[in-house]
Amino acid sequence: MNKDIILRLTRYKRLLYKLKALGFERVFSNNLGDAIGVTPALVRKDFSTLNLPGNKRGGYNIDMLIERLDNLLGRDQPQHVIVVGCGRIGTALMQYSGFSTDGIEFVAGFDIRPEEVRPPSTIPVYGMDTLEDFIKEHHIKVGVIAVPDTEASKVLTQMVEAGIRGVLNFAPVELKCHNEECHSNCIIHNVNIALEIEHLFYQVNAKEAGEEEDGNCAD
Amino acid sequence: MNKDIILRLTRYKRLLYKLKALGFERVFSNNLGDAIGVTPALVRKDFSTLNLPGNKRGGYNIDMLIERLDNLLGRDQPQHVIVVGCGRIGTALMQYSGFSTDGIEFVAGFDIRPEEVRPPSTIPVYGMDTLEDFIKEHHIKVGVIAVPDTEASKVLTQMVEAGIRGVLNFAPVELKCHNEECHSNCIIHNVNIALEIEHLFYQVNAKEAGEEEDGNCAD
């Protein structure tokens, strides 16, 4: 399966859990399409590719969809995640209650000065010297990096060497696989918030410049 | 210019500022390419498309590149941003010091219970009833949404009606333009952290399943 379909399936699933919580039992492809921003035909094509039973007129049984999607996407057990770097962004993520409903569980934080991290919740915060042992002992596969940009690459190497296979990086630096031996096993997603905001400004400014050239057609 | 080239230019620029801070005066296309993960040839093509002077052997003058990129990307004045929803994620963003070096300035936060927001810094937090006036008076164009998913759509409408043209959405719900009249002017980027983590788990699990089928070729 390619990345696009996985992302759509993940979105369907999240939406289905919310609909189920609202008491829905069936759902139609056009509702799902509207909600996640694709055509109903694509929703039906995705479900038919995956042999999920249902059709345009009768709709789909939500419980059955959820069961099949959970199997496909591997949601049988809670997904344990660690956070390295417990500054503002790191602790905000650890405490973000939206995750628990998605089966994602933050099990520990790591910081160079764990004693200075304001106790955020019931999630323990340990020193960096225990990071590798923790990852190995608890078979942690996915971790979040929220350290300063100057530390990010070193932390990535430590994590991957201990067994981490997937990293979500919030440090404002593009992390990639430098070392073939060590990093070829690791998938890295970079979330650069400053870059996102700068990009928005550029798009907004470019759009406004275009509108001024076209004359005042709004309002 | 399409989105890909804008994103690359933004990345070049951020990197150039860092190199300048380190005392660099010139930079080569292969260094830039390595750092942002593209080929040196593409770096040179981007710069040549934009008439940026320099070449493969002599490299590029960093000050000149920064000046031209700042002009192109609109960095003459600080970019004012507001945050709506001052929970953990919202306040973490407001206090994130990485932004100031990018010319991005958070000027205010808004919350339904501003008096309960722990004073994060020198950035004021106001009640939601002042949101529209603030946006209009200060000509704010870009805002961050960090409210619960159930409130996100309503907040988006309020912001767009007051004049916001670009939104970075951290609420765990996909925001889009429902109302043609009101939203066609607004560019929305969704950052769904839970979705990113789920997607990572899926990729990691799929990769491990593939490796098991291939036999143990690692270590």
Side-chain angles (χ1 to χ4, degrees):
Chain A
M1 285 197 285
N2 68 26
K3 184 176 167 176
D4 288 342
I5 188 168
I6 296 168
L7 218 52
R8 285 202 299 279
L9 295 183
T10 311
R11 287 188 172 136
Y12 297 140
K13 200 190 64 181
R14 290 165 57 79
L15 187 63
L16 289 165
Y17 268 108
K18 288 184 186 167
L19 292 174
K20 185 179 158 77
L22 292 174
F24 276 44
E25 292 183 5
R26 304 189 70 72
V27 66
F28 292 89
S29 54
N30 55 355
N31 301 132
L32 289 174
D34 287 347
I36 77 158
V38 301
T39 65
L42 182 57
V43 175
R44 292 193 298 274
K45 183 165 167 264
D46 286 342
F47 288 176
S48 127
T49 307
L50 303 166
N51 291 321
L52 293 167
N55 56 55
K56 187 174 176 178
R57 289 189 57 194
Y60 294 83
N61 178 295
I62 289 181
D63 280 336
M64 195 177 291
L65 283 182
I66 287 179
E67 193 191 324
R68 300 290 286 272
L69 288 169
D70 271 352
N71 282 339
L72 271 167
L73 299 170
R75 261 287 299 282
D76 304 338
Q77 54 225 29
Q79 320 257 30
H80 290 167
V81 181
I82 57 167
V83 174
V84 184
C86 299
R88 300 186 190 286
I89 297 277
T91 50
L93 290 173
M94 282 166 66
Q95 295 168 82
Y96 181 51
S97 58
F99 290 128
S100 53
T101 56
D102 296 303
I104 296 166
E105 196 184 328
F106 284 99
V107 291
F110 295 86
D111 200 273
I112 44 166
R113 282 185 288 272
E115 68 283 1
E116 287 179 22
V117 176
R118 276 191 249 157
S121 58
T122 54
I123 303 166
V125 176
Y126 303 114
M128 289 298 288
D129 51 333
T130 62
L131 176 64
E132 300 198 22
D133 285 343
F134 188 95
I135 293 169
K136 284 177 186 161
E137 273 168 33
H138 295 81
H139 307 286
I140 305 292
K141 288 183 196 167
V142 169
V144 172
I145 294 182
V147 299
D149 55 354
T150 47
E151 302 302 313
S153 178
K154 197 180 76 185
V155 164
L156 173 66
T157 302
Q158 270 184 286
M159 288 166 76
V160 172
E161 281 177 356
I164 288 284
R165 306 291 304 267
V167 165
L168 190 61
N169 172 41
F170 284 89
V173 61
E174 195 87 357
L175 289 183
K176 343 160 264 179
C177 310
H178 281 291
N179 177 335
E180 282 289 323
E181 292 253 355
C182 144
H183 290 181
S184 64
N185 281 329
C186 189
I187 295 155
I188 301 170
H189 291 196
N190 291 287
V191 179
N192 192 324
I193 299 166
L195 204 58
E196 288 280 346
I197 293 179
E198 273 203 73
H199 184 207
L200 260 179
F201 269 108
Y202 177 78
Q203 288 184 301
V204 167
N205 292 338
K207 210 172 164 191
E208 293 200 334
E211 284 162 12
E212 274 166 27
E213 275 175 26
D214 294 342
N216 280 340
C217 50
D219 295 67
Chain B
M1 286 196 284
N2 68 26
K3 185 176 167 177
D4 288 343
I5 188 168
I6 296 168
L7 217 52
R8 285 201 302 277
L9 294 182
T10 311
R11 286 186 172 139
Y12 297 141
K13 200 190 63 181
R14 289 166 57 80
L15 186 63
L16 289 165
Y17 269 107
K18 287 185 187 167
L19 292 174
K20 185 179 157 77
L22 292 174
F24 275 46
E25 293 183 5
R26 304 191 70 73
V27 67
F28 292 89
S29 54
N30 56 357
N31 301 132
L32 289 174
D34 287 347
I36 77 159
V38 301
T39 65
L42 182 58
V43 176
R44 292 194 298 274
K45 183 165 167 266
D46 285 342
F47 288 176
S48 128
T49 307
L50 302 166
N51 290 320
L52 294 167
N55 56 55
K56 186 173 176 177
R57 288 189 59 193
Y60 294 83
N61 177 295
I62 289 181
D63 280 335
M64 194 175 293
L65 282 182
I66 287 180
E67 194 191 323
R68 300 290 286 272
L69 288 169
D70 271 352
N71 282 339
L72 271 167
L73 299 170
R75 261 287 298 282
D76 304 337
Q77 55 225 30
Q79 319 258 31
H80 290 167
V81 181
I82 57 167
V83 174
V84 183
C86 300
R88 300 186 190 286
I89 298 277
T91 50
L93 291 173
M94 282 166 66
Q95 294 169 81
Y96 181 52
S97 59
F99 290 127
S100 54
T101 56
D102 296 303
I104 296 166
E105 196 184 328
F106 283 99
V107 291
F110 295 86
D111 201 273
I112 44 166
R113 283 185 287 274
E115 68 283 0
E116 287 179 20
V117 176
R118 275 192 247 157
S121 58
T122 53
I123 304 166
V125 176
Y126 303 114
M128 289 297 288
D129 51 333
T130 62
L131 176 64
E132 301 199 22
D133 285 343
F134 189 96
I135 293 170
K136 285 176 186 162
E137 273 168 33
H138 295 81
H139 307 285
I140 305 292
K141 288 184 197 167
V142 169
V144 172
I145 294 182
V147 298
D149 55 354
T150 48
E151 303 301 313
S153 179
K154 197 179 77 184
V155 163
L156 172 66
T157 302
Q158 269 184 286
M159 290 166 75
V160 172
E161 282 177 357
I164 288 283
R165 306 291 304 267
V167 165
L168 189 62
N169 172 41
F170 284 89
V173 60
E174 195 86 357
L175 288 183
K176 344 161 262 178
C177 310
H178 281 289
N179 176 336
E180 283 290 323
E181 293 253 354
C182 142
H183 290 180
S184 64
N185 280 330
C186 189
I187 296 155
I188 302 169
H189 291 195
N190 291 288
V191 179
N192 193 324
I193 299 165
L195 204 58
E196 288 280 346
I197 293 179
E198 274 202 73
H199 184 206
L200 261 180
F201 269 108
Y202 178 78
Q203 289 183 300
V204 167
N205 291 339
K207 211 172 164 189
E208 292 200 334
E211 283 162 12
E212 275 166 27
E213 277 177 24
D214 295 342
N216 279 340
C217 51
D219 296 65

